[in-house]
Structures are given as C-alpha cells and as structure tokens.
Amino acid sequence: MIILGGLGNVAAQALKASLFIAGTSEQKFQRKIAEMLRSRNEIGENLQGHPEAAGGITDLTFEDIPIELKVENNKVIFPKYFQKYFDQTAAYAIGLGKRIGILAVLESTSKSAPVGVIEDDIEVFTHPTGQSQVAIVVVVVRGGFPKPSSYSR
C-alpha cells in the first residue's frame, strides 16, 4: 500500500501540475517517477532501480515488488488495455517471489479535452500464471494536457 500511495500521488500531481508533456520518453518517465517516489519519506531508498538491459529500461522494485514502467504516446487508453504487459510484470513478480506486480504507465498523448477521473486510472487485475495467479495493479499516469484555459479557445 505504501508504494501504491506514492504512485497515486504521482498520478494526482501529474494531473494537477501537468508534469509530463505530450510525447514524454520512457527514460524521462522512469527518471521522474523514481525521483518523486524516492522523495517520499516512507519509500526513500527502499525503491531500487535497475540498470538498462538489452537496450531498454528495466523495472523498479519496492521491497521486492516489481514496478514495470511503460509509456503510451499514441492514444488515450485505460488500465484494461495494458494486458499485453501483464506476462512481463507477472514474470518479474514470480522471479522475485511475489504474487503482486505493479504496472505504471504514462499515457502522454496530446490532449484537447479532459480525460475522466483518476479513480478510473487505477485498477487491480488477477493474471493467471501456470497453476497460480498474480495480482497486477495498473496505475495510469496522465500527461500531455494543455492549460485548462485553452479548452475554451
């Protein structure tokens, strides 16, 4: 719950302060989210970053719970549409001896209108893996918003 509170806070700040511009890269997202989470006293140095591997950025972990980071810059989508990443997130969880994994996705398409409420952007899924199941928590962080005054132009 500690890390989910931190991720929820990042998602809320992203909406309130427009933290992520349209087209933000996965590398920039990883750096910013790690910085924001580590600045929280209850998370701090318990958030572990992994180095780049095979040309990509690997996940973060918090007390051995994997946090897989992805970026979607092509279309506005919601948690259920990220199922294509569930196997990867589940594999990290199982490899770390956990039955829970977190998938944090920055959706930073350029927007011309508001996109709903933050409560719709956090969802828990049960993902079958062999004879057991892994809980995958998807947290969508929204970016790419213009200033609200631009909606009336």
Side-chain angles (χ1 to χ4, degrees), residues 42-53:
E42 68 276 23
I43 295 174
E45 61 191 40
N46 291 321
L47 183 73
Q48 301 298 312
H50 296 278
E52 292 185 23

Side-chain angles (χ1 to χ4, degrees), residues 36-104:
M36 292 176 77
L37 290 172
R38 281 194 183 107
S39 72
R40 296 178 63 89
N41 189 39
E42 68 276 23
I43 295 174
E45 61 191 40
N46 291 321
L47 183 73
Q48 301 298 312
H50 296 278
E52 292 185 23
I57 306 288
T58 61
D59 61 334
L60 300 171
T61 60
F62 176 74
E63 297 183 3
D64 288 334
I65 295 171
I67 306 163
E68 182 61 23
L69 301 174
K70 299 291 182 187
V71 171
E72 173 59 53
N73 288 322
N74 297 317
K75 59 186 171 182
V76 175
I77 50 182
F78 296 89
K80 67 181 178 182
Y81 296 105
F82 294 104
Q83 290 180 354
K84 65 183 176 183
Y85 301 119
F86 286 9
D87 281 339
Q88 180 182 13
T89 306
Y92 287 135
I94 291 167
L96 293 166
K98 299 294 181 183
R99 288 185 177 239
I100 186 169
I102 299 170
L103 176 59

Side-chain angles (χ1 to χ4, degrees), residues 14-42:
L15 285 175
K16 185 172 183 149
S18 204
L19 292 178
F20 299 99
I21 62 169
T24 298
S25 72
E26 190 170 320
Q27 188 174 23
K28 286 181 182 177
F29 176 54
Q30 182 187 23
R31 257 195 320 265
K32 184 68 174 173
I33 203 164
E35 174 188 318
M36 292 176 77
L37 290 172
R38 281 194 183 107
S39 72
R40 296 178 63 89
N41 189 39
E42 68 276 23

